[in-house]
Amino acid sequence: MSLPTQPYKGTRDFYPEDKRIQKYMFAKLRQVVESFGYQEYDAPLLEPFEVYAAKSGDELVNEQLYSFEDRGGRKVAIRPEMTPSVSRMVAGRRQELAYPLRLYSIPNLWRYERPQRGRLREHWQLNVDLFGIDDISADEEIIQMADSILKALGADSHEYVIKVNSRKLLKRLDEHINLSQDKARQLYRIADKKNKMTDEQFKQEIFEAGLDASVDFFFAATIDKLPAPLNESEEAENLEGLIARLNKVGVNAVFDPGIVRGFDYYTDIIFEVYDFEGANNRSMFGGGRYDGLVGLFGVEPVPTVGFGMGDVTLQNFLVTHKLLPELPSETDVTAILIGDVYDQAQGALSGLRESGVNIAVDASDRKLDSKIKHAVKSGTRYALFIGESELSSGKLKLRDLTKGHEDELGLKEIINKFAKHP
Amino acid sequence: MSLPTQPYKGTRDFYPEDKRIQKYMFAKLRQVVESFGYQEYDAPLLEPFEVYAAKSGDELVNEQLYSFEDRGGRKVAIRPEMTPSVSRMVAGRRQELAYPLRLYSIPNLWRYERPQRGRLREHWQLNVDLFGIDDISADEEIIQMADSILKALGADSHEYVIKVNSRKLLKRLDEHINLSQDKARQLYRIADKKNKMTDEQFKQEIFEAGLDASVDFFFAATIDKLPAPLNESEEAENLEGLIARLNKVGVNAVFDPGIVRGFDYYTDIIFEVYDFEGANNRSMFGGGRYDGLVGLFGVEPVPTVGFGMGDVTLQNFLVTHKLLPELPSETDVTAILIGDVYDQAQGALSGLRESGVNIAVDASDRKLDSKIKHAVKSGTRYALFIGESELSSGKLKLRDLTKGHEDELGLKEIINKFAKHP
């Protein structure tokens, strides 16, 4: 009986043409976040189970976590998110690290989900975190950076909107309308779905839960239209200031009282980036402030703002808005050997490679036609013909396989044409 | 009770200075293998358990594999090696892919090991595979590429040696001295340890196992000194030809009858790269031909040669031979804001960032001295001072924090100094 060729359910194989798309996206992400002074870190794929049990939220831990006992009886989990790992790392060097501390990573994460559009069991996620700043400038930088990434990938401001809210403001609401902690949780769960429901559906759920007093809050179009005294609270003022500053630097940010975020650890400003695709209005990714997480690891807390941006939703966004460029093969040239010149050709091939030309060799004894066909199929744009006479004359035929055009070039000319690091 | 800050046993946290080393190594690996026409692929971290049960070898599957049941009752494993995954992927598109097919990946792999020097539970490994060539040119290319990688990282030929052997030749030996399959396995297990033992210890183990007839084979210094008729076999001739061709292109390759390799799936040429560090003679990494693995997935077999190179042993090698360069922070500049100019500075900061200058901002209300101290601590080489007067004059003070030297520069001059993509 033979083994199946499909990958594990809800995951992807990345053939070179798929991997190229991911590499293109990740290179842009790295470029933008490094331009803001963020430095890359990484953490192990497995973490002790308790790291997530603490603060990641019940649904994730009880239903979605990949956890098991290792051969030594330790309960471990495959990371479903990166925030607990980076918080652990910062706690581990709380005193030695320099603040503000800017960190990013692009880990793969695992959740046991029913696979569907935008949701897979394995995905990669850019994680960006700014540690050590307790004022609104940190929130501004993080949201501005999320915006810069989308723009660097070619998106226009009118193709998405960044919706901002505040957990502290939500807490004020709870106090104002006198909600128990349980009732408040229920309210957040309903609010979290607001952007997927009609206004009527939302109101009905709110009324059925006996949360009528919260309706005015969730239908406030702007901060100044929030029910008094919330509209004059410090939290409202803060939020309004943040949005004004973001708008001033060209970020399409708006207040949305229905933004709640799933994780338990957020403490203040939270945001989500929405795709404006036709009638569709989908949350792509988000983040916020979580000042308490580093402190769970037994050190003095560190104020932190961050976000996570997944590769699946990002790629869907780029495809929908036609923002993915043509990505050519990394291989510049297929060298087609004519006759038995494998050994003689090594000098020329090494010289080209060391000068930064990417060359695959076809030394098979197939017919010339068949070799050319395979070079085309492999996605390489150019073929370079190397036989006895070419090696002795030092002039090689380079054929553009997309146009059929052919040039006779010396090694130096070939290097100049392709070299990425001259 | 607070959570522990240590990573899971046998794994590493990568703080930015650690990650930079890994990024440096991986960039070199990518550069070299892409220059040989290899393209990057990736596969999911989890695979069905059966994929490894088939051919990875008993020790790995029974003692080292991280395997468990998912929430749907499927038996899965965290990949301990990449070869089965890439074989599965090639089988999945056996007909559509163009051959020769050159693929590489740098996955993280997991094995339940007792952590020690060079062995961790999580490591990254460059995997390079060449599919579709059944003659010795494929083995030559793969070994030459392994050699080119070490040279690109600054190593000299005399700092390592590539030891080559052949599974087919070992099989000839088994036939010649009439070994049962069980006895042959036992012989391979002993041979695999030969390079870690003295000759006396090795002989003793061989004699104790009743394998006396194999001794002449394992002490043959060159191929022509193998016991007859093995010395005149097709396999010996092939191996001799390969080594001669490798030597001709400057690869320090030698015959070593004690090279066996652990995996069950190898079918012909096998090799291991040894570090010549003083008296130390450690196997760093290796590979070989495995023509049968793709066929296990229910398709026509594909001849394949490949190798895997782990990051832990590679980094140890580079450190031992003093080949790791100083790696500066990705952040070029810390912008130190003077006074409340955060909003006004945004235009200048965005302009610099979009032109490829990596800038971290310190907008805190700490004293200037303290800000400079933190910039130094963060590892950034330059500080850029931005206040009201600098913004109105357009001239900014740039201080080299390593030398104390200061320049007054316009934005264009700063861009020219740092821009990586002008």
Side-chain angles (χ1 to χ4, degrees), chain B residues 128-260:
Chain B
V128 197
D129 292 288
L130 173 48
F131 296 89
I133 301 180
D134 58 10
D135 65 51
I136 207 88
S137 71
D139 307 80
E140 181 180 350
E141 176 173 308
I142 283 289
I143 296 174
Q144 197 187 339
M145 196 160 48
D147 182 75
S148 296
I149 288 171
L150 292 175
K151 285 180 179 154
L153 285 160
D156 278 330
S157 289
H158 66 264
E159 290 175 309
Y160 60 92
V161 62
I162 302 182
K163 302 182 174 186
V164 190
N165 198 8
S166 153
R167 276 276 175 98
K168 280 190 179 160
L169 190 62
L170 286 164
K171 225 170 173 182
R172 282 264 170 163
L173 169 69
D174 303 343
E175 289 161 13
H176 179 58
I177 62 175
N178 247 322
L179 292 186
S180 66
Q181 215 177 327
D182 273 0
K183 271 289 174 194
R185 271 175 181 258
Q186 194 185 356
L187 177 63
Y188 291 6
R189 263 199 303 279
I190 299 171
D192 198 33
K193 298 180 291 179
K194 179 169 184 284
N195 285 304
K196 291 177 200 154
M197 294 188 275
T198 64
D199 288 355
E200 284 318 302
Q201 285 171 329
F202 178 71
K203 275 181 196 160
Q204 197 183 332
E205 284 219 25
I206 288 284
F207 292 150
E208 275 170 14
L211 293 161
D212 313 30
S214 72
V215 164
D216 286 351
F217 181 89
F218 289 106
F219 284 95
T222 53
I223 292 169
D224 61 310
K225 290 196 174 121
L226 284 171
L230 296 178
N231 57 343
E232 289 178 344
S233 63
E234 195 192 326
E235 289 74 27
E237 204 173 290
N238 243 332
L239 196 53
E240 202 156 30
L242 172 66
I243 291 171
R245 287 169 77 163
L246 285 167
N247 293 160
K248 218 169 129 187
V249 294
V251 178
N252 184 15
V254 301
F255 169 61
D256 188 326
I259 297 299
V260 170

Side-chain angles (χ1 to χ4, degrees), chain A residues 155-413:
Chain A
D156 278 330
S157 289
H158 65 263
E159 291 175 307
Y160 60 93
V161 62
I162 302 182
K163 301 182 175 186
V164 190
N165 198 8
S166 154
R167 277 275 176 100
K168 280 190 179 160
L169 189 60
L170 286 165
K171 224 172 176 183
R172 282 264 171 165
L173 169 70
D174 303 343
E175 288 161 15
H176 178 57
I177 61 176
N178 248 321
L179 293 185
S180 67
Q181 213 176 328
D182 273 0
K183 271 292 174 192
R185 271 175 182 258
Q186 193 185 356
L187 178 63
Y188 291 6
R189 263 199 304 278
I190 300 172
D192 200 31
K193 298 181 291 178
K194 179 168 183 286
N195 286 304
K196 292 178 198 153
M197 293 189 275
T198 64
D199 287 357
E200 283 319 302
Q201 285 171 330
F202 178 70
K203 275 182 197 162
Q204 198 183 332
E205 284 220 25
I206 288 284
F207 291 150
E208 276 169 13
L211 293 161
D212 313 29
S214 71
V215 163
D216 286 351
F217 181 90
F218 288 106
F219 284 95
T222 53
I223 293 170
D224 60 309
K225 290 199 174 117
L226 285 171
L230 297 177
N231 58 342
E232 288 179 346
S233 64
E234 195 191 327
E235 289 76 24
E237 205 173 289
N238 243 331
L239 197 53
E240 202 157 32
L242 172 64
I243 291 171
R245 286 169 77 163
L246 286 168
N247 293 158
K248 218 169 130 185
V249 293
V251 178
N252 184 14
V254 300
F255 168 60
D256 187 327
I259 297 299
V260 171
R261 304 287 296 153
F263 295 119
D264 286 353
Y265 48 64
Y266 289 112
T267 52
D268 195 351
I269 299 293
I270 44 181
F271 71 96
E272 274 180 22
V273 182
Y274 275 72
D275 178 3
F276 269 154
E277 196 244 315
N280 236 342
N281 193 323
R282 298 165 49 89
S283 172
M284 291 199 290
F285 66 96
R289 182 176 280 279
Y290 59 100
D291 288 346
L293 209 43
V294 171
L296 289 184
F297 293 88
V299 298
E300 204 191 323
V302 181
T304 314
V305 188
F307 73 83
M309 178 191 231
D311 70 327
V312 182
T313 37
L314 180 61
Q315 188 168 335
N316 286 345
F317 176 80
L318 297 179
V319 168
T320 303
H321 294 273
K322 302 192 170 58
L323 296 173
L324 271 185
E326 281 280 317
L327 298 167
S329 166
E330 295 91 338
T331 306
D332 302 308
V333 172
T334 297
I336 293 181
L337 304 191
I338 301 160
D340 188 14
V341 295
Y342 191 85
D343 284 348
Q344 291 141 270
Q346 289 308 315
L349 292 172
S350 295
L352 291 170
R353 284 172 178 147
E354 280 161 23
S355 301
V357 187
N358 293 345
I359 304 194
V361 172
D362 187 345
S364 67
D365 47 14
R366 292 179 291 204
K367 289 197 179 139
L368 189 62
D369 264 12
S370 163
K371 289 189 188 185
I372 293 173
K373 230 179 255 168
H374 275 266
V376 171
K377 195 174 169 187
S378 79
T380 317
R381 177 155 170 199
Y382 294 93
L384 187 68
F385 300 95
I386 308 183
E388 294 263 3
S389 65
E390 284 81 2
L391 284 168
S392 61
S393 74
K395 288 281 180 192
L396 310 181
K397 280 198 197 86
L398 182 76
R399 184 184 296 180
D400 184 334
L401 296 169
T402 59
K403 300 184 182 164
H405 179 78
E406 220 170 86
D407 278 321
E408 285 218 345
L409 300 174
L411 290 182
K412 276 227 167 134
E413 292 167 298

Side-chain angles (χ1 to χ4, degrees), chain A residues 2-9 11-20 23 30-31 34-46 50-51 54 61-68 70-72 74 76 78 88-93 95-100 102-104 108 110 112 121-122 124 137 140-141 144 245 248-249 296-298 329-331 342-343 346 350 353 357-362 366 374 377-378 421, chain B residues 2-9 11-20 23 30-31 34-46 50-51 54 61-68 70-72 74 76 78 88-93 95-100 102-104 108 110 112 121-122 124 137 140-141 144 245 248-249 296-298 329-331 342-343 346 350 353 357-362 366 374 377-378 421:
Chain A
S2 61
L3 296 163
T5 59
Q6 293 80 25
Y8 172 63
K9 188 176 174 184
T11 70
R12 293 162 289 170
D13 284 330
F14 290 81
Y15 288 88
E17 62 271 25
D18 312 310
K19 186 69 185 174
R20 273 204 287 278
K23 286 172 91 166
R30 285 197 168 89
Q31 183 189 309
E34 289 186 2
S35 82
F36 279 80
Y38 287 71
Q39 296 188 49
E40 193 164 356
Y41 69 94
D42 211 344
L45 178 88
L46 296 183
E50 311 84 69
V51 166
V61 173
N62 297 330
E63 295 167 30
Q64 302 184 332
L65 200 63
Y66 279 83
S67 61
F68 60 97
D70 76 7
R71 288 170 190 266
R74 278 187 192 80
V76 293
I78 303 180
R88 179 180 60 66
M89 284 174 63
V90 171
R93 297 201 184 164
Q95 295 306 321
E96 301 93 299
L97 294 165
Y99 304 90
R102 293 175 166 89
L103 292 176
Y104 83 90
N108 53 341
W110 281 77
Y112 192 76
R121 291 187 177 173
E122 180 182 51
W124 276 254
S137 71
E140 181 180 350
E141 175 172 307
Q144 196 188 341
R245 286 169 77 163
K248 218 169 130 185
V249 293
L296 289 184
F297 293 88
S329 166
E330 295 91 338
T331 306
Y342 191 85
D343 284 348
Q346 289 308 315
S350 295
R353 284 172 178 147
V357 187
N358 293 345
I359 304 194
V361 172
D362 187 345
R366 292 179 291 204
H374 275 266
K377 195 174 169 187
S378 79
H421 47 101
Chain B
S2 61
L3 296 163
T5 59
Q6 294 80 25
Y8 172 64
K9 188 176 175 185
T11 70
R12 295 163 288 172
D13 284 329
F14 290 81
Y15 289 87
E17 62 272 25
D18 312 310
K19 186 68 185 174
R20 273 203 287 277
K23 285 172 91 166
R30 286 198 166 90
Q31 183 189 310
E34 289 185 3
S35 82
F36 278 80
Y38 288 71
Q39 297 187 48
E40 193 164 357
Y41 70 93
D42 211 342
L45 178 88
L46 295 183
E50 310 86 68
V51 166
V61 173
N62 297 330
E63 294 167 30
Q64 301 183 333
L65 200 62
Y66 279 84
S67 62
F68 62 96
D70 76 8
R71 288 172 191 263
R74 279 187 191 79
V76 293
I78 302 180
R88 179 180 60 67
M89 284 174 64
V90 171
R93 296 200 184 165
Q95 296 306 320
E96 299 93 299
L97 294 165
Y99 303 91
R102 293 176 166 87
L103 293 176
Y104 83 90
N108 52 341
W110 280 78
Y112 192 77
R121 291 187 176 172
E122 179 182 50
W124 275 254
S137 71
E140 181 180 350
E141 176 173 308
Q144 197 187 339
R245 287 169 77 163
K248 218 169 129 187
V249 294
L296 289 184
F297 293 88
S329 166
E330 296 90 337
T331 307
Y342 191 85
D343 284 347
Q346 289 307 315
S350 295
R353 285 172 178 148
V357 187
N358 293 345
I359 303 193
V361 172
D362 188 344
R366 293 179 291 205
H374 275 266
K377 195 174 170 189
S378 78
H421 47 101

Side-chain angles (χ1 to χ4, degrees), chain B residues 294-335:
Chain B
V294 171
L296 289 184
F297 293 88
V299 298
E300 204 191 323
V302 181
T304 314
V305 187
F307 73 83
M309 177 190 233
D311 70 327
V312 182
T313 37
L314 180 61
Q315 188 168 335
N316 286 345
F317 176 81
L318 296 179
V319 168
T320 302
H321 295 272
K322 301 193 171 55
L323 296 173
L324 270 185
E326 281 280 317
L327 298 167
S329 166
E330 296 90 337
T331 307
D332 302 308
V333 172
T334 298

